[in-house]
């Protein structure tokens, strides 16, 4: 039985393939180091804005070198952090290479532009597997997985939703004196795999 919640990323990816009767994903827009493909077959097309391997094509997820309707399934696992120092210092493209954004608006813009591009390169009823995580930014919760459903309106419907729980997180630096605040939000120990079906 395929469960909606686990601490094993490979189990989720295998479950998505099985439920959608796929042997492998056609393309990955943010291939990174290819950790997703530890236990499942590699995708046919690998893209990333900052390729780490020779067979990965350098491309932004907002401008993929593929014709309309090229793929039946596409994977997207973008950075999810904001207030990354390098983002402020180097501007958005470099910031993405460093794994995050400065403001939440920048994250929102990247995600929205990629939803439009993914819609273009997918076949009818094709699926976009979108990994994301909610964040607390500027003392406010940004429920990214809910925002994605809003941003995808008219392009995709949410077909399935998986929760990946984390056993551990990087310890937070201990703040002292005035900087030490009372905890206001739960520490986020989960991320999502959203399966979005092209409308
Ligand atoms: C969380 S990592 C992906 C990890 C990957 N799933 C793996 O298994 O190794 C995010 C990736 O998104 C890439 N990236 C950031 N902005 C991008 C953009 N606009 N277009 C394509 N890739 C981008 C980064 O270079 C990075 O490799």
């Amino acid at each position: 039985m395929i469960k909606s919640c686990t601490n094993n990323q490979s189990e989720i990816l295998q479950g998505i393939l099985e439920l959608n009767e796929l042997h492998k994903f056609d393309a990955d827009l943010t291939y990174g180091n290819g950790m997703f493909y530890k236990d499942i077959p590699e995708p046919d097309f690998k893209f990333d804005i900052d390729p780490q391997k020779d067979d990965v094509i350098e491309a932004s997820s907002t401008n993929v070198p593929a014709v309309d309707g090229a793929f039946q399934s596409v994977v997207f696992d973008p950075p999810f952090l904001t207030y990354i120092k390098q983002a402020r210092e180097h501007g958005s493209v470099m910031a993405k290479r460093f794994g995050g954004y400065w403001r939440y608006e920048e994250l929102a813009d990247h995600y929205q532009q990629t939803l439009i591009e993914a819609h273009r390169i997918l076949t009818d009823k094709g699926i976009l597997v979108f990994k994301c995580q909610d964040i607390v930014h500027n003392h406010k919760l940004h429920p990214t997985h809910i925002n994605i459903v809003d941003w995808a309106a008219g392009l995709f419907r949410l077909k399935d939703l998986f929760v990946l729980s984390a056993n551990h997180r990087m310890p937070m630096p201990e703040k002292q004196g005035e900087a030490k605040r009372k905890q206001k939000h739960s520490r986020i120990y989960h991320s999502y795999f959203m399966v979005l079906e092209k409308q």
Side-chain angles (χ1 to χ4, degrees):
M1 205 228 332
I2 296 161
K3 295 179 289 165
S4 64
C5 183
T6 167
N7 61 3
N8 181 338
Q9 177 162 272
S10 291
E11 192 182 322
I12 293 179
L13 289 163
Q14 274 160 348
I16 294 172
L17 285 174
E18 202 176 317
L19 289 168
N20 291 280
E21 295 176 21
L22 298 170
H23 168 60
K24 57 183 169 175
F25 297 113
D26 288 339
D28 190 326
L29 306 184
T30 46
Y31 183 82
N33 290 314
M35 295 302 288
F36 278 4
Y37 306 98
K38 219 163 34 85
D39 300 311
I40 61 168
E42 293 273 329
D44 289 330
F45 294 89
K46 310 170 188 183
F47 303 99
D48 199 290
I49 202 166
D50 185 20
Q52 302 297 316
K53 294 188 175 175
D54 290 346
D55 59 345
V56 178
I57 299 163
E58 181 175 342
S60 173
S61 59
T62 60
N63 187 17
V64 180
V67 297
D68 297 0
F71 306 123
Q72 200 189 337
S73 57
V74 164
V75 175
F76 181 50
D77 173 21
F80 60 87
L81 292 172
T82 52
Y83 275 10
I84 296 294
K85 188 163 154 271
Q86 290 90 342
R88 185 177 50 172
E89 290 170 0
H90 299 288
S92 58
V93 174
M94 283 306 284
K96 283 165 194 160
R97 293 186 180 195
F98 282 106
Y101 311 87
W102 182 238
R103 301 207 175 281
Y104 193 78
E105 289 72 24
E106 198 189 321
L107 174 153
D109 184 59
H110 180 209
Y111 286 19
Q112 284 171 279
Q113 295 305 318
T114 301
L115 283 166
I116 293 168
E117 184 66 342
H119 187 267
R120 182 187 74 76
I121 61 177
L122 278 167
T123 54
D124 275 350
K125 305 269 179 208
I127 57 160
L128 171 64
V129 178
F130 196 145
K131 185 178 179 190
C132 69
Q133 186 171 314
D134 300 339
I135 54 166
V136 174
H137 169 106
N138 232 350
H139 315 297
K140 187 178 162 209
L141 175 68
H142 291 269
T144 300
H145 78 289
I146 295 174
N147 294 339
I148 290 169
V149 174
D150 285 348
W151 297 330
L155 299 174
F156 293 93
R157 82 173 177 97
L158 184 59
K159 185 181 184 193
D160 219 337
L161 182 64
F162 294 82
V163 176
L164 175 67
S165 60
N167 296 330
H168 307 286
R169 282 280 186 245
M170 292 275 282
M172 299 273 251
E174 195 55 43
K175 291 183 176 161
Q176 302 295 331
E178 282 190 18
K180 192 168 180 168
R181 287 171 186 271
K182 198 169 175 304
Q183 183 175 356
K184 297 273 176 56
H185 299 90
S186 58
R187 183 90 198 273
I188 295 173
Y189 266 66
H190 66 283
S191 51
Y192 297 92
F193 278 84
M194 309 176 75
V195 182
L196 298 163
E197 185 183 71
K198 177 173 168 173
Q199 296 297 281

